[in-house]
Amino acid sequence: MKLSSSLFLSTRLAAAGLLLLVTSACASPPPSAPPAAPAAATAPAAASSLWQQIQAASANPVCDNDSQCHTVGVGAKACGGPQSYLPWSSKQDDGATLKQLVERHAAVLRAQDAREAMMSTCSVVADPGASCRANRCVLNPASAGGQPNVR
């Protein structure tokens, strides 16, 4: 009888230990901060957000005359310089916010290009200038020679 009670006690202790082990393995770990997203994953989102802000800041290029119309280079080519130009008006705004957004957007794109070892044709995109047409600043059309058509 002594042997069977000893075996019974050992079995119960083993079962209790196993139960403790199983329940501790199933317990949730303490909450922790979510892992930070890598910079490469957040760069497109940042560029997209900045681009939306740039579009909003340049969405109302109202003007009375050509002297109120200006351009700002946007984007960033891998070899340097802007990808294109947007018209903006100084009639109601000095353009400081727009220029700051454009600089931040270009910096994000340059960093992304550097991370991805991007290359480009290194062609220069000429500033077409802007003029007031129907009380809105618009980019001037490029002439046949590729130079801006400035009046």
Side-chain angles (χ1 to χ4, degrees):
M1 183 93 178
K2 193 170 190 165
L3 182 61
S4 70
S5 68
S6 173
L7 183 60
F8 178 72
L9 184 59
S10 296
T11 304
R12 285 191 71 176
L13 285 174
L18 184 60
L19 182 60
L20 182 61
L21 181 65
V22 168
T23 57
S24 68
C26 292
S28 299
S32 62
T42 59
S48 177
S49 173
L50 285 166
W51 180 246
Q52 290 173 355
Q53 292 174 57
I54 289 167
Q55 288 178 313
S58 64
N60 192 23
V62 295
C63 59
D64 296 321
N65 57 58
D66 288 347
S67 68
Q68 296 170 330
C69 296
H70 313 276
T71 58
V72 63
V74 293
K77 295 184 84 174
C79 284
Q83 292 172 317
S84 62
Y85 289 86
L86 285 178
W88 67 277
S89 173
S90 59
K91 179 178 179 177
Q92 298 174 341
D93 190 344
D94 66 0
T97 300
L98 176 62
K99 291 173 187 174
Q100 181 185 36
L101 289 168
V102 165
E103 288 174 18
R104 289 175 46 206
H105 181 251
V108 168
L109 293 177
R110 284 191 299 270
Q112 185 177 345
D113 286 348
R115 267 193 313 279
E116 297 173 6
M118 293 297 290
M119 298 175 70
S120 79
T121 61
C122 299
S123 60
V124 175
V125 178
D127 184 342
S131 55
C132 188
R133 303 266 192 253
N135 296 101
R136 291 189 58 81
C137 293
V138 296
L139 294 176
N140 292 326
S143 67
Q147 296 300 315
N149 185 10
V150 180
R151 302 188 313 191

PDB file of all heavy atoms in Angstrom, residues 9-40:
ATOM      1  N   LEU A   9       0.995   9.993  -5.175  1.00  0.00           N
ATOM      2  CA  LEU A   9       1.477  11.314  -4.817  1.00  0.00           C
ATOM      3  C   LEU A   9       2.395  11.873  -5.914  1.00  0.00           C
ATOM      4  O   LEU A   9       2.286  13.037  -6.305  1.00  0.00           O
ATOM      5  CB  LEU A   9       2.210  11.271  -3.473  1.00  0.00           C
ATOM      6  CG  LEU A   9       2.699  12.595  -2.929  1.00  0.00           C
ATOM      7  CD1 LEU A   9       1.566  13.574  -2.743  1.00  0.00           C
ATOM      8  CD2 LEU A   9       3.429  12.371  -1.632  1.00  0.00           C
ATOM      9  N   SER A  10       3.260  11.032  -6.447  1.00  0.00           N
ATOM     10  CA  SER A  10       4.158  11.455  -7.528  1.00  0.00           C
ATOM     11  C   SER A  10       3.375  11.831  -8.772  1.00  0.00           C
ATOM     12  O   SER A  10       3.701  12.812  -9.451  1.00  0.00           O
ATOM     13  CB  SER A  10       5.140  10.331  -7.884  1.00  0.00           C
ATOM     14  OG  SER A  10       5.975  10.058  -6.809  1.00  0.00           O
ATOM     15  N   THR A  11       2.365  11.068  -9.082  1.00  0.00           N
ATOM     16  CA  THR A  11       1.538  11.338 -10.254  1.00  0.00           C
ATOM     17  C   THR A  11       0.814  12.667 -10.090  1.00  0.00           C
ATOM     18  O   THR A  11       0.739  13.475 -11.015  1.00  0.00           O
ATOM     19  CB  THR A  11       0.520  10.207 -10.478  1.00  0.00           C
ATOM     20  OG1 THR A  11       1.209   8.976 -10.577  1.00  0.00           O
ATOM     21  CG2 THR A  11      -0.304  10.430 -11.734  1.00  0.00           C
ATOM     22  N   ARG A  12       0.288  12.911  -8.869  1.00  0.00           N
ATOM     23  CA  ARG A  12      -0.426  14.169  -8.614  1.00  0.00           C
ATOM     24  C   ARG A  12       0.536  15.360  -8.707  1.00  0.00           C
ATOM     25  O   ARG A  12       0.189  16.394  -9.252  1.00  0.00           O
ATOM     26  CB  ARG A  12      -1.084  14.140  -7.232  1.00  0.00           C
ATOM     27  CG  ARG A  12      -2.326  13.257  -7.248  1.00  0.00           C
ATOM     28  CD  ARG A  12      -3.111  13.402  -6.030  1.00  0.00           C
ATOM     29  NE  ARG A  12      -3.753  14.719  -6.015  1.00  0.00           N
ATOM     30  CZ  ARG A  12      -4.585  15.115  -5.092  1.00  0.00           C
ATOM     31  NH1 ARG A  12      -4.886  14.317  -4.096  1.00  0.00           N
ATOM     32  NH2 ARG A  12      -5.120  16.298  -5.127  1.00  0.00           N
ATOM     33  N   LEU A  13       1.736  15.223  -8.167  1.00  0.00           N
ATOM     34  CA  LEU A  13       2.714  16.294  -8.235  1.00  0.00           C
ATOM     35  C   LEU A  13       3.127  16.580  -9.685  1.00  0.00           C
ATOM     36  O   LEU A  13       3.266  17.729 -10.096  1.00  0.00           O
ATOM     37  CB  LEU A  13       3.949  15.980  -7.396  1.00  0.00           C
ATOM     38  CG  LEU A  13       3.762  16.129  -5.888  1.00  0.00           C
ATOM     39  CD1 LEU A  13       5.012  15.634  -5.164  1.00  0.00           C
ATOM     40  CD2 LEU A  13       3.475  17.553  -5.517  1.00  0.00           C
ATOM     41  N   ALA A  14       3.300  15.515 -10.446  1.00  0.00           N
ATOM     42  CA  ALA A  14       3.669  15.673 -11.854  1.00  0.00           C
ATOM     43  C   ALA A  14       2.542  16.362 -12.623  1.00  0.00           C
ATOM     44  O   ALA A  14       2.778  17.249 -13.447  1.00  0.00           O
ATOM     45  CB  ALA A  14       3.993  14.323 -12.473  1.00  0.00           C
ATOM     46  N   ALA A  15       1.300  15.988 -12.352  1.00  0.00           N
ATOM     47  CA  ALA A  15       0.146  16.590 -13.023  1.00  0.00           C
ATOM     48  C   ALA A  15       0.034  18.070 -12.649  1.00  0.00           C
ATOM     49  O   ALA A  15      -0.245  18.931 -13.502  1.00  0.00           O
ATOM     50  CB  ALA A  15      -1.131  15.842 -12.665  1.00  0.00           C
ATOM     51  N   ALA A  16       0.250  18.388 -11.378  1.00  0.00           N
ATOM     52  CA  ALA A  16       0.182  19.776 -10.935  1.00  0.00           C
ATOM     53  C   ALA A  16       1.283  20.605 -11.599  1.00  0.00           C
ATOM     54  O   ALA A  16       1.055  21.737 -12.038  1.00  0.00           O
ATOM     55  CB  ALA A  16       0.289  19.855  -9.407  1.00  0.00           C
ATOM     56  N   GLY A  17       2.472  20.047 -11.693  1.00  0.00           N
ATOM     57  CA  GLY A  17       3.584  20.745 -12.350  1.00  0.00           C
ATOM     58  C   GLY A  17       3.299  20.974 -13.817  1.00  0.00           C
ATOM     59  O   GLY A  17       3.575  22.045 -14.363  1.00  0.00           O
ATOM     60  N   LEU A  18       2.750  19.950 -14.464  1.00  0.00           N
ATOM     61  CA  LEU A  18       2.407  20.070 -15.884  1.00  0.00           C
ATOM     62  C   LEU A  18       1.317  21.122 -16.094  1.00  0.00           C
ATOM     63  O   LEU A  18       1.396  21.941 -17.014  1.00  0.00           O
ATOM     64  CB  LEU A  18       1.946  18.708 -16.427  1.00  0.00           C
ATOM     65  CG  LEU A  18       1.634  18.649 -17.914  1.00  0.00           C
ATOM     66  CD1 LEU A  18       2.873  19.014 -18.729  1.00  0.00           C
ATOM     67  CD2 LEU A  18       1.163  17.270 -18.299  1.00  0.00           C
ATOM     68  N   LEU A  19       0.317  21.126 -15.201  1.00  0.00           N
ATOM     69  CA  LEU A  19      -0.748  22.111 -15.291  1.00  0.00           C
ATOM     70  C   LEU A  19      -0.194  23.531 -15.107  1.00  0.00           C
ATOM     71  O   LEU A  19      -0.557  24.449 -15.839  1.00  0.00           O
ATOM     72  CB  LEU A  19      -1.814  21.814 -14.233  1.00  0.00           C
ATOM     73  CG  LEU A  19      -3.032  22.738 -14.211  1.00  0.00           C
ATOM     74  CD1 LEU A  19      -3.767  22.675 -15.543  1.00  0.00           C
ATOM     75  CD2 LEU A  19      -3.963  22.371 -13.085  1.00  0.00           C
ATOM     76  N   LEU A  20       0.702  23.703 -14.169  1.00  0.00           N
ATOM     77  CA  LEU A  20       1.327  25.002 -13.942  1.00  0.00           C
ATOM     78  C   LEU A  20       2.122  25.447 -15.174  1.00  0.00           C
ATOM     79  O   LEU A  20       2.062  26.596 -15.590  1.00  0.00           O
ATOM     80  CB  LEU A  20       2.234  24.934 -12.706  1.00  0.00           C
ATOM     81  CG  LEU A  20       2.924  26.225 -12.298  1.00  0.00           C
ATOM     82  CD1 LEU A  20       1.905  27.296 -11.959  1.00  0.00           C
ATOM     83  CD2 LEU A  20       3.835  25.978 -11.122  1.00  0.00           C
ATOM     84  N   LEU A  21       2.854  24.514 -15.755  1.00  0.00           N
ATOM     85  CA  LEU A  21       3.644  24.813 -16.942  1.00  0.00           C
ATOM     86  C   LEU A  21       2.754  25.207 -18.117  1.00  0.00           C
ATOM     87  O   LEU A  21       3.016  26.196 -18.813  1.00  0.00           O
ATOM     88  CB  LEU A  21       4.508  23.602 -17.317  1.00  0.00           C
ATOM     89  CG  LEU A  21       5.417  23.753 -18.520  1.00  0.00           C
ATOM     90  CD1 LEU A  21       6.465  24.813 -18.233  1.00  0.00           C
ATOM     91  CD2 LEU A  21       6.085  22.439 -18.849  1.00  0.00           C
ATOM     92  N   VAL A  22       1.673  24.477 -18.327  1.00  0.00           N
ATOM     93  CA  VAL A  22       0.767  24.755 -19.441  1.00  0.00           C
ATOM     94  C   VAL A  22       0.084  26.103 -19.250  1.00  0.00           C
ATOM     95  O   VAL A  22      -0.005  26.905 -20.177  1.00  0.00           O
ATOM     96  CB  VAL A  22      -0.267  23.619 -19.603  1.00  0.00           C
ATOM     97  CG1 VAL A  22      -1.389  24.017 -20.544  1.00  0.00           C
ATOM     98  CG2 VAL A  22       0.419  22.364 -20.105  1.00  0.00           C
ATOM     99  N   THR A  23      -0.390  26.403 -18.064  1.00  0.00           N
ATOM    100  CA  THR A  23      -1.094  27.670 -17.853  1.00  0.00           C
ATOM    101  C   THR A  23      -0.150  28.859 -17.950  1.00  0.00           C
ATOM    102  O   THR A  23      -0.539  29.917 -18.430  1.00  0.00           O
ATOM    103  CB  THR A  23      -1.825  27.702 -16.495  1.00  0.00           C
ATOM    104  OG1 THR A  23      -0.885  27.459 -15.450  1.00  0.00           O
ATOM    105  CG2 THR A  23      -2.947  26.691 -16.458  1.00  0.00           C
ATOM    106  N   SER A  24       1.076  28.709 -17.533  1.00  0.00           N
ATOM    107  CA  SER A  24       2.014  29.829 -17.659  1.00  0.00           C
ATOM    108  C   SER A  24       2.406  30.037 -19.115  1.00  0.00           C
ATOM    109  O   SER A  24       2.654  31.160 -19.543  1.00  0.00           O
ATOM    110  CB  SER A  24       3.253  29.618 -16.789  1.00  0.00           C
ATOM    111  OG  SER A  24       4.016  28.542 -17.282  1.00  0.00           O
ATOM    112  N   ALA A  25       2.452  28.988 -19.909  1.00  0.00           N
ATOM    113  CA  ALA A  25       2.790  29.126 -21.324  1.00  0.00           C
ATOM    114  C   ALA A  25       1.655  29.787 -22.092  1.00  0.00           C
ATOM    115  O   ALA A  25       1.884  30.474 -23.086  1.00  0.00           O
ATOM    116  CB  ALA A  25       3.097  27.757 -21.922  1.00  0.00           C
ATOM    117  N   CYS A  26       0.414  29.621 -21.619  1.00  0.00           N
ATOM    118  CA  CYS A  26      -0.729  30.205 -22.306  1.00  0.00           C
ATOM    119  C   CYS A  26      -1.016  31.626 -21.865  1.00  0.00           C
ATOM    120  O   CYS A  26      -1.833  32.311 -22.452  1.00  0.00           O
ATOM    121  CB  CYS A  26      -1.981  29.354 -22.073  1.00  0.00           C
ATOM    122  SG  CYS A  26      -1.873  27.753 -22.870  1.00  0.00           S
ATOM    123  N   ALA A  27      -0.388  32.069 -20.809  1.00  0.00           N
ATOM    124  CA  ALA A  27      -0.636  33.418 -20.315  1.00  0.00           C
ATOM    125  C   ALA A  27      -0.153  34.444 -21.338  1.00  0.00           C
ATOM    126  O   ALA A  27       0.836  34.243 -22.023  1.00  0.00           O
ATOM    127  CB  ALA A  27       0.081  33.629 -18.987  1.00  0.00           C
ATOM    128  N   SER A  28      -0.882  35.523 -21.421  1.00  0.00           N
ATOM    129  CA  SER A  28      -0.498  36.585 -22.346  1.00  0.00           C
ATOM    130  C   SER A  28       0.716  37.320 -21.817  1.00  0.00           C
ATOM    131  O   SER A  28       0.804  37.580 -20.629  1.00  0.00           O
ATOM    132  CB  SER A  28      -1.633  37.590 -22.513  1.00  0.00           C
ATOM    133  OG  SER A  28      -2.767  36.962 -23.031  1.00  0.00           O
ATOM    134  N   PRO A  29       1.625  37.685 -22.705  1.00  0.00           N
ATOM    135  CA  PRO A  29       2.761  38.481 -22.255  1.00  0.00           C
ATOM    136  C   PRO A  29       2.275  39.875 -21.883  1.00  0.00           C
ATOM    137  O   PRO A  29       1.225  40.315 -22.347  1.00  0.00           O
ATOM    138  CB  PRO A  29       3.685  38.514 -23.471  1.00  0.00           C
ATOM    139  CG  PRO A  29       2.783  38.300 -24.633  1.00  0.00           C
ATOM    140  CD  PRO A  29       1.677  37.424 -24.119  1.00  0.00           C
ATOM    141  N   PRO A  30       3.011  40.578 -21.059  1.00  0.00           N
ATOM    142  CA  PRO A  30       2.583  41.931 -20.705  1.00  0.00           C
ATOM    143  C   PRO A  30       2.542  42.800 -21.955  1.00  0.00           C
ATOM    144  O   PRO A  30       3.326  42.611 -22.882  1.00  0.00           O
ATOM    145  CB  PRO A  30       3.662  42.409 -19.728  1.00  0.00           C
ATOM    146  CG  PRO A  30       4.823  41.497 -19.923  1.00  0.00           C
ATOM    147  CD  PRO A  30       4.279  40.218 -20.470  1.00  0.00           C
ATOM    148  N   PRO A  31       1.592  43.734 -21.996  1.00  0.00           N
ATOM    149  CA  PRO A  31       1.503  44.579 -23.192  1.00  0.00           C
ATOM    150  C   PRO A  31       2.775  45.400 -23.366  1.00  0.00           C
ATOM    151  O   PRO A  31       3.384  45.841 -22.415  1.00  0.00           O
ATOM    152  CB  PRO A  31       0.300  45.475 -22.914  1.00  0.00           C
ATOM    153  CG  PRO A  31       0.060  45.408 -21.452  1.00  0.00           C
ATOM    154  CD  PRO A  31       0.636  44.109 -20.978  1.00  0.00           C
ATOM    155  N   SER A  32       3.147  45.551 -24.619  1.00  0.00           N
ATOM    156  CA  SER A  32       4.328  46.350 -24.925  1.00  0.00           C
ATOM    157  C   SER A  32       3.988  47.267 -26.082  1.00  0.00           C
ATOM    158  O   SER A  32       2.975  47.107 -26.742  1.00  0.00           O
ATOM    159  CB  SER A  32       5.509  45.452 -25.290  1.00  0.00           C
ATOM    160  OG  SER A  32       5.206  44.710 -26.441  1.00  0.00           O
ATOM    161  N   ALA A  33       4.840  48.223 -26.320  1.00  0.00           N
ATOM    162  CA  ALA A  33       4.622  49.155 -27.417  1.00  0.00           C
ATOM    163  C   ALA A  33       4.742  48.411 -28.736  1.00  0.00           C
ATOM    164  O   ALA A  33       5.542  47.483 -28.861  1.00  0.00           O
ATOM    165  CB  ALA A  33       5.664  50.267 -27.361  1.00  0.00           C
ATOM    166  N   PRO A  34       3.937  48.784 -29.728  1.00  0.00           N
ATOM    167  CA  PRO A  34       4.058  48.117 -31.028  1.00  0.00           C
ATOM    168  C   PRO A  34       5.428  48.417 -31.619  1.00  0.00           C
ATOM    169  O   PRO A  34       6.008  49.467 -31.359  1.00  0.00           O
ATOM    170  CB  PRO A  34       2.946  48.747 -31.863  1.00  0.00           C
ATOM    171  CG  PRO A  34       2.598  50.019 -31.176  1.00  0.00           C
ATOM    172  CD  PRO A  34       2.948  49.834 -29.721  1.00  0.00           C
ATOM    173  N   PRO A  35       5.951  47.482 -32.401  1.00  0.00           N
ATOM    174  CA  PRO A  35       7.266  47.722 -32.992  1.00  0.00           C
ATOM    175  C   PRO A  35       7.219  48.929 -33.913  1.00  0.00           C
ATOM    176  O   PRO A  35       6.229  49.160 -34.597  1.00  0.00           O
ATOM    177  CB  PRO A  35       7.565  46.430 -33.762  1.00  0.00           C
ATOM    178  CG  PRO A  35       6.238  45.787 -33.973  1.00  0.00           C
ATOM    179  CD  PRO A  35       5.360  46.228 -32.836  1.00  0.00           C
ATOM    180  N   ALA A  36       8.278  49.683 -33.897  1.00  0.00           N
ATOM    181  CA  ALA A  36       8.357  50.865 -34.756  1.00  0.00           C
ATOM    182  C   ALA A  36       8.460  50.423 -36.210  1.00  0.00           C
ATOM    183  O   ALA A  36       9.158  49.458 -36.528  1.00  0.00           O
ATOM    184  CB  ALA A  36       9.566  51.705 -34.381  1.00  0.00           C
ATOM    185  N   ALA A  37       7.744  51.122 -37.062  1.00  0.00           N
ATOM    186  CA  ALA A  37       7.811  50.805 -38.488  1.00  0.00           C
ATOM    187  C   ALA A  37       9.157  51.259 -39.024  1.00  0.00           C
ATOM    188  O   ALA A  37       9.655  52.309 -38.649  1.00  0.00           O
ATOM    189  CB  ALA A  37       6.681  51.506 -39.224  1.00  0.00           C
ATOM    190  N   PRO A  38       9.757  50.478 -39.900  1.00  0.00           N
ATOM    191  CA  PRO A  38      11.035  50.904 -40.467  1.00  0.00           C
ATOM    192  C   PRO A  38      10.865  52.171 -41.278  1.00  0.00           C
ATOM    193  O   PRO A  38       9.801  52.441 -41.825  1.00  0.00           O
ATOM    194  CB  PRO A  38      11.453  49.724 -41.342  1.00  0.00           C
ATOM    195  CG  PRO A  38      10.235  48.903 -41.539  1.00  0.00           C
ATOM    196  CD  PRO A  38       9.303  49.208 -40.404  1.00  0.00           C
ATOM    197  N   ALA A  39      11.921  52.968 -41.361  1.00  0.00           N
ATOM    198  CA  ALA A  39      11.875  54.240 -42.082  1.00  0.00           C
ATOM    199  C   ALA A  39      11.461  54.036 -43.531  1.00  0.00           C
ATOM    200  O   ALA A  39      10.749  54.858 -44.099  1.00  0.00           O
ATOM    201  CB  ALA A  39      13.234  54.932 -42.013  1.00  0.00           C
ATOM    202  N   ALA A  40      11.891  52.940 -44.128  1.00  0.00           N
ATOM    203  CA  ALA A  40      11.564  52.689 -45.533  1.00  0.00           C
ATOM    204  C   ALA A  40      10.060  52.531 -45.724  1.00  0.00           C
ATOM    205  O   ALA A  40       9.520  52.908 -46.750  1.00  0.00           O
ATOM    206  CB  ALA A  40      12.287  51.444 -46.036  1.00  0.00           C
TER     207      ALA A  40
END
